[in-house]
Amino acid sequence: PKWMLPVTQSLLRGLLTRPVHKRLGVHGAGDIKRHAYFKGINWKALEERAVRPPVVPQLESLRDLRFFPHSKEDAVVESPPRAGVGPAAETFEGFSWTSPGLLNHNPAPPPPSDASS
């Protein structure tokens, strides 16, 4: 979509590439972590939980659950969005695609082998 930054479009395009063997991340999470979208992320600090979250909710007690949905219905997120809801609705209007592998009950082809192994 035009309203997304090019770097965001690139990430999504890579993650949603139809041929699995060409998809971003097929060779591991490192492919995704090195994408320009995540430039500036200190993955080691994040893994060590040394990164301060941008929002820290103020809890009244350890049992304060007001920031969580009260029921399963509250937690439901529509995917894809209903027609006419939000900017993504136009983008996906009329979109329909099913993997031929799912239709034929054939597994996806294996990723290319790494010659260095």
Side-chain angles (χ1 to χ4, degrees):
K2 292 178 183 177
W3 51 267
M4 282 187 192
L5 293 174
V7 70
T8 306
Q9 291 179 26
S10 171
L11 175 66
L12 291 175
R13 200 173 294 115
L15 293 170
L16 299 175
T17 297
R18 289 182 181 171
V20 175
H21 65 281
K22 294 182 178 181
R23 193 171 295 159
L24 180 64
V26 71
H27 300 292
D31 291 349
I32 299 169
K33 289 177 171 181
R34 286 186 293 274
H35 190 277
Y37 181 86
F38 296 108
K39 183 180 179 181
I41 299 288
N42 182 336
W43 292 102
K44 184 165 178 54
L46 193 63
E47 185 178 314
E48 293 171 353
R49 297 180 180 222
V51 176
R52 179 149 172 85
V55 176
V56 180
Q58 297 299 311
L59 302 179
E60 294 176 359
S61 73
L62 291 176
R63 296 180 183 261
D64 184 354
L65 300 177
R66 64 193 150 117
F67 298 106
F68 292 91
H70 296 290
S71 67
K72 288 181 183 179
E73 291 77 26
D74 291 341
V76 171
V77 176
E78 290 189 44
S79 179
R82 287 178 290 160
V85 177
E90 283 180 20
T91 303
F92 296 104
E93 188 174 330
F95 178 81
S96 176
W97 184 80
T98 303
S99 169
L102 292 175
L103 295 175
N104 299 326
H105 303 289
N106 295 330
S113 62
D114 185 4
S116 64
S117 297

